[in-house]
Amino acid sequence: MRRVRLVPSISRALGPGTGSATPRGMHSTTTDAPRPFLAYIVGHDTPEWLESLLGHAGLEVRPCRTAAEALSRIEDEHSELLIERQRGRSSGFPSFVVYGPSGNPTTEVEGSYPGLIPICSITRATEAAQLRASVAHAVAWSRRRRAVDRASDARRRWRRQERVQRDTREFDLALADFQMAYQPIVDGQGRLLGHEALMRPRTGGLTSPAAMLERAERLGRIPELTRVILRKVALDAHRLAGLLFVNLHFMDLMEDHLVDPRLGLVHIAHRVILEVTETTGDMDPALVKARLGALRHAGYRLAIDDLGAGGSTLARLNHMRPEIVKLDKTLTRSIQSSASAQHLVRAIVRYCEQVGSSVVAEGVETPAEQRVLTELGCRYLQGYLLGEPASLLPDVREVG
């Protein structure tokens, strides 16, 4: 049997041997016809004196074989109780401990059970009126505690709902008004390869692509955002020369957006490079391979973005075999001053040449970086030195 420690505010108020006095801080309330409290008692060998005492105290008792069985039946909202035999304090006489709802299902007192606290102990000397009072006061306190907790939970739910509604309104505004900007990608002689499509939020309190992506992910609206991006790029394509590099979340490759003729991008798939980060998650490699094969069959080509960023892995580079590999700016920034970065870039370029992938160095901002990256074999370059992202003027066909 468990040896329990009574809650201090209750145990200090219990009389010697009975443990059944009114707990401190609880105010007595009496009625002419008190409602019986339901209690589960562990074991089937309940002494006759205990059955009589519980009956006179107004407790409806149901036996259970084990404490686990009793706990499985207890519903805190109905103020049900658990009674368990405890070793007597002296002379080997049996005593019992009464557990009641704490008002908090996560509460756990030493020697007690989750969501329950010891209310009082019962011996032959316990009086029915005292037992009833102890149980009634404890249950009343629990109900007040639960009422306060329910009110707090309701306030938290209301705040969460308000935050979701505010975030949704801001996202809706940004989704309806954001523009696409396009940054050129050139070769070492400055000849144009294509443009990377970049999202540029303008309204709705979302001031950066990262903030908009985070909001879309939090609201579960990444697929919706992707569809809008693909539609905008498809509409702009006829005014842009060269290839179109489109950033996607890797899971977008598994969706039907890219082959949906209503979005238009599939009709120019031969011009589109799908940029994804190396982080592909724990997806089935066979499924990934099959999906990439289907997209390539539709005309798309694949680029791994941000190679060299934190969390990247060359194993995925080997597995996905992209047509284009884009080096992250953390590798290219100030590369003229880093011998180790130069060795790494040279090794990546050599590997890509062997497997047939072209390399684009991102984040090129100085002539020194451009010179070193070109010498290391990077065929294509992208960065503010070579061209800043720019939005297209409204198409007169769209305005009219």
Side-chain angles (χ1 to χ4, degrees), residues 20-23 26-30 37 57 59 119-120 127-140:
S20 56
T22 300
M26 301 180 182
H27 303 288
S28 175
T29 56
T30 59
F37 296 108
L59 273 67
I119 296 175
C120 60
E127 296 182 0
Q130 291 177 317
L131 175 59
R132 173 75 188 189
S134 295
V135 169
H137 291 313
V139 168

Side-chain angles (χ1 to χ4, degrees), residues 307-310 327-333 341:
L307 181 67
L327 302 182
D328 188 69
K329 61 185 178 182
T330 57
L331 271 180
T332 63
R333 184 183 296 118

Side-chain angles (χ1 to χ4, degrees), residues 229-294:
I229 291 173
L230 297 183
R231 185 179 296 112
K232 287 178 177 290
V233 172
L235 289 173
D236 289 340
H238 70 280
R239 295 191 287 159
L240 293 164
L243 302 177
L244 296 171
F245 290 70
V246 181
N247 288 281
L248 296 176
H249 189 285
F250 188 83
M251 292 304 299
D252 285 321
L253 298 181
M254 304 295 116
E255 302 290 341
D256 293 330
H257 314 316
L258 297 169
V259 294
D260 187 344
R262 294 171 298 179
L263 300 182
L265 203 68
V266 68
H267 302 307
I268 56 169
H270 63 284
R271 292 183 57 196
V272 177
I273 309 296
L274 304 176
E275 285 194 32
V276 296
T277 63
E278 294 175 89
T279 305
T280 60
D282 298 323
M283 299 188 64
D284 181 1
L287 177 63
V288 172
K289 183 178 180 180
R291 182 58 176 173
L292 295 181

Side-chain angles (χ1 to χ4, degrees), residues 121-194:
S121 61
I122 304 175
T123 69
R124 286 178 178 271
T126 303
E127 296 182 0
Q130 291 177 317
L131 175 59
R132 173 75 188 189
S134 295
V135 169
H137 291 313
V139 168
W141 171 79
S142 172
R143 289 174 177 172
R144 290 194 294 271
R145 170 70 178 273
R146 290 200 305 270
V148 171
D149 290 344
R150 283 195 294 267
S152 297
D153 290 341
R155 285 193 294 270
R156 283 192 292 270
R157 288 194 299 271
W158 180 81
R159 293 191 189 102
R160 285 196 298 268
Q161 185 178 4
E162 283 289 300
R163 185 167 58 251
V164 169
Q165 291 176 348
R166 183 188 67 243
D167 290 350
T168 298
R169 287 193 297 269
E170 289 182 351
F171 183 79
D172 287 341
L173 288 173
L175 188 67
D177 193 52
F178 79 88
Q179 287 184 328
M180 299 302 298
Y182 299 91
Q183 185 173 31
I185 301 173
V186 301
D187 66 11
Q189 286 72 46
R191 293 172 297 201
L192 182 69
L193 171 67

